[in-house]
Structure formats: C-alpha cells, structure tokens
C-alpha cells in the first residue's frame, strides 16, 4: 500500500495551548496564557516558522505549513495582536527573525534562539 509519507510533525491547537509532536516522539507545548512573545523566522526555500515563547525562552516552533485558520484565530486573543504584522513578516522576501508580538508585561530579555 502506497500513500503520502508521514509528516515530520503534527501541530495541535486548542483553547488551552499549542502542541507540536515530532516524528521522533519529542513534543513541544505551550499554554496560551504563558506566551509572551511571537517571532516569525523566514529563510529562502524553507517553510516559515512561527515561534511562540514563554518567560524562560522555552516554547513551541510551528511551521506555517502546519497552521490553519484555528491557529491564526487563536493568536488574535493575545492582547493587541496584529495579524497583518504577522502576515507581512511571514511573506517577507528577507531572511531573518522578526518579533511580531510581545506581551504588554514581557520578561526583561529573551534569549536569541538557533533554528534548525
């Protein structure tokens, strides 16, 4: 039996949070109430990544290809979240990392992260 290859990860969005399950069995999860920053990572030829971070710099990496209207709708619940800013950053022709949202009460500093 032939079918589509198994994707390298699955993303689940609920009212409580977002969870990414990787093919190797590892899991990243973050409750919406713990999100203090949203970043967009763009690189030519690669999937756009949405990075959700908590106060300790831990979080969940969500590929744009794994998102749907539920994910974007839930982001709108973050205080003063600007979906247009997210879209502009994700559609940018420039490689890089853009902070598209930060909590009104963010931690003093979040670490720069390496993305694979």
């Amino acid at each position: 039996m032939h079918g589509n290859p198994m994707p390298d990860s699955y993303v689940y969005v609920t009212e409580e949070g977002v969870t990414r399950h990787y093919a190797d069995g590892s899991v990243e999860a973050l409750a919406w109430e713990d999100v203090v920053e949203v970043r967009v990572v763009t690189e030519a030829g690669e999937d756009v990544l949405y990075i959700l971070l908590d106060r300790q710099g831990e979080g969940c990496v969500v590929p744009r290809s794994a998102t749907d209207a539920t994910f974007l709708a839930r982001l709108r619940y973050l205080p003063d979240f600007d979906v247009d800013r997210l879209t502009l950053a994700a559609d940018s022709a420039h490689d890089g990392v853009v902070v598209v949202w930060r909590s009104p009460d963010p931690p003093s500093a979040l670490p720069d992260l390496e993305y694979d």
Side-chain angles (χ1 to χ4, degrees):
M1 183 165 130
H2 297 286
N4 293 332
M6 187 167 183
D8 67 348
S9 67
Y10 296 94
V11 174
Y12 297 101
V13 177
T14 66
E15 288 297 314
E16 290 78 35
V18 61
T19 304
R20 182 175 179 188
H21 296 266
Y22 290 86
D24 67 4
S26 61
V27 176
E28 294 175 343
L30 188 60
W32 291 115
E33 65 187 25
D34 295 333
V35 176
V36 297
E37 189 169 287
V38 177
R39 299 177 183 180
V40 174
V41 179
T42 55
E43 186 175 328
E46 299 293 326
D47 197 359
V48 172
L49 301 175
Y50 301 125
I51 314 296
L52 309 177
L53 297 171
D54 67 11
R55 292 188 178 282
Q56 289 75 41
E58 299 293 321
C60 190
V61 177
V62 180
R64 179 166 61 177
S65 62
T67 64
D68 60 14
T70 304
F71 178 75
L72 296 176
R74 187 56 190 89
L75 286 174
R76 292 174 194 249
Y77 285 101
L78 297 172
D80 299 320
F81 190 85
D82 185 347
V83 173
D84 292 334
R85 181 173 166 83
L86 176 85
T87 302
L88 285 172
D91 293 342
S92 171
H94 303 289
D95 292 353
V97 179
V98 176
V99 175
V100 295
W101 179 83
R102 190 169 280 144
S103 169
D105 183 30
S108 56
L110 287 172
D112 290 329
L113 303 174
E114 297 285 325
Y115 305 104
D116 294 327

